[in-house]
Amino acid sequence: MISIIIPTFNEAEKIASTINYLLNGIDKEYIKEIVVADGGSHDNTVAIGQQSFAKVIVVTGKNRAAQLNAGASVIKSEILFFLHADTIPFPGFTKKIIEAVNNKYYSGCFKLLFDYDHWFLKANAWFTRFDVNAVRFGDQGLFTTRAVFEKCGGFNENLFIMEDQEIIHRLKAFSSFKVLDGYVKTSARKYLKNGIYKTQGIFFIIWLLYYLGSPQKKLLKLYRKFST
């Protein structure tokens, strides 16, 4: 069985459809629970999550890494799958995860698709098929076992941004990592709101500055300035 952890902040528009898809699709028999780890939303995300039969916890005053860790701390199964509220996995994804774990791949993700037809986004998503840390982000979904997650120390709560990529390096130190066959489809809303090329440029600059050792507060300020 798999526990799915979804971090949210003002996701009232997306969270119900994502939960309903998971609980009513062909994968429901392998889903133990859905945990919504909310960061103090100002909209109806928490109420909608509860009405959709998810377990909802509220983690205020912290960051997404803390939300993800809090969600992981209350799950009841041995396999964790971290999923963004605006990302939909393909039918049958649970079997792929269970099969990978049975074959001793104790962490991994899926390839990526965007829900908007644009050549640049297609090219962007194409690179996610490779097991390269530089192109590994949270919107691909991330699975791991409880044991490996605990050994690696969970998400780094000192990070306000890039926490999804940072944990990959530590997961790989404790387990074999695999990019599974199949895709998750994520929303292109940030690209459409701020401009496709501009948004990708912002992401690249943040990624580069992160690896050059820039302070987290600087990265977060940059992200908020140009992508909200």
Side-chain angles (χ1 to χ4, degrees), residues 139-156:
D139 49 13
Q140 292 177 245
L142 175 67
F143 77 86
T144 186
T145 62
R146 184 202 298 265
V148 168
F149 184 76
E150 291 176 350
K151 283 181 181 178
C152 85
F155 288 89
N156 185 346

Side-chain angles (χ1 to χ4, degrees), residues 34-198:
I34 296 175
V35 177
V36 172
D38 188 74
S41 294
H42 308 306
D43 62 9
N44 293 325
T45 299
V46 169
I48 293 172
Q50 293 169 337
Q51 293 164 6
S52 301
F53 303 103
K55 180 189 296 182
V56 180
I57 59 173
V58 178
V59 187
T60 59
K62 295 187 178 181
N63 52 29
R64 189 165 63 180
Q67 290 174 241
L68 293 164
N69 285 339
S73 71
V74 301
I75 57 101
K76 297 178 181 178
S77 59
E78 295 303 316
I79 301 176
L80 298 73
F81 185 50
F82 298 98
L83 184 70
H84 286 187
D86 62 354
T87 301
I88 299 295
F90 67 99
F93 75 97
T94 53
K95 289 185 178 180
K96 288 287 186 180
I97 293 174
I98 293 169
E99 180 182 309
V101 171
N102 287 339
N103 287 323
K104 302 188 185 305
Y105 290 101
Y106 298 134
S107 60
C109 65
F110 292 99
K111 293 174 281 187
L112 184 67
L113 286 176
F114 286 99
D115 64 357
Y116 185 76
D117 187 13
H118 189 282
W119 76 268
F120 187 81
L121 295 180
K122 287 181 179 179
N124 192 339
W126 183 83
F127 285 99
T128 63
R129 69 188 60 220
F130 302 109
D131 187 10
V132 178
N133 290 350
V135 294
R136 194 95 301 123
F137 293 96
D139 49 13
Q140 292 177 245
L142 175 67
F143 77 86
T144 186
T145 62
R146 184 202 298 265
V148 168
F149 184 76
E150 291 176 350
K151 283 181 181 178
C152 85
F155 288 89
N156 185 346
E157 295 187 17
N158 293 318
L159 300 183
F160 296 98
I161 196 166
M162 299 291 285
E163 79 291 329
D164 47 5
Q165 186 165 107
E166 189 275 340
I167 195 175
I168 300 297
H169 298 270
R170 290 182 287 113
L171 286 172
K172 287 184 174 183
F174 292 97
S175 69
S176 296
F177 188 94
K178 187 175 180 64
V179 180
L180 302 181
D181 290 333
Y183 295 84
V184 294
K185 181 180 288 187
T186 195
S187 172
R189 55 183 171 166
K190 283 189 173 67
Y191 287 90
L192 300 179
K193 179 181 178 181
N194 299 296
I196 291 175
Y197 304 117
K198 175 185 174 183

